[in-house]
Amino acid sequence: MSGLVGRMFREFALTLTIAVVTSAIVSLTLTPMMCSRLLKHAGEEIAVPGLAAISRSIDRMVNFYHRTLLWVLERQRATMLVTFATIVATLIMYVVGAQGLPAPAGHGIDHRG
């Protein structure tokens, strides 16, 4: 692509590439190291201050996720309807949004001001 839109997509692609590479580096190096330091073996006490509070908050989040997952699974038809409606709305926005892109430089815009 050329012009303003091409420049924007090129910069976005660079940003996305840097984000993916950084995420890969963190997930392959920092995450295993943190797990080896913070996770305890059976029968071992937690030695990190404040980790018990974090563990309780994670347990609350897991319980909330469990309750909401059960709620959604009890309403499978409604969930599928919302999913398909979201897909349709996304496709409509894609078609409508494609018409809103700026015109290529020098085509139909008077820059003489």
Side-chain angles (χ1 to χ4, degrees):
M1 286 188 176
S2 62
L4 177 65
V5 175
R7 246 187 326 210
M8 287 172 48
F9 280 127
R10 205 171 309 120
E11 290 173 6
F12 177 69
L14 180 63
T15 302
L16 193 60
T17 302
I18 292 171
V20 169
V21 169
T22 303
S23 175
I25 290 170
V26 167
S27 67
L28 293 174
T29 58
L30 185 63
T31 303
M33 188 275 305
M34 296 279 294
C35 287
S36 72
R37 301 283 185 215
L38 296 177
L39 295 179
K40 62 178 182 165
H41 295 285
E44 197 176 309
E45 289 297 319
I46 297 174
V48 179
L51 194 57
I54 294 172
S55 180
R56 283 192 302 272
S57 66
I58 290 173
D59 288 340
R60 284 194 301 270
M61 284 189 284
V62 168
N63 287 334
F64 174 75
Y65 175 75
H66 181 73
R67 286 193 318 270
T68 56
L69 181 62
L70 290 177
W71 185 87
V72 167
L73 290 175
E74 291 169 358
R75 294 158 181 82
Q76 290 182 9
R77 283 195 178 130
T79 302
M80 290 305 292
L81 284 173
V82 169
T83 301
F84 288 127
T86 303
I87 291 171
V88 168
T90 301
L91 293 173
I92 290 171
M93 295 293 282
Y94 175 75
V95 171
V96 171
Q99 297 170 357
L101 289 176
H107 293 271
I109 300 175
D110 186 12
H111 295 287
R112 291 179 281 177

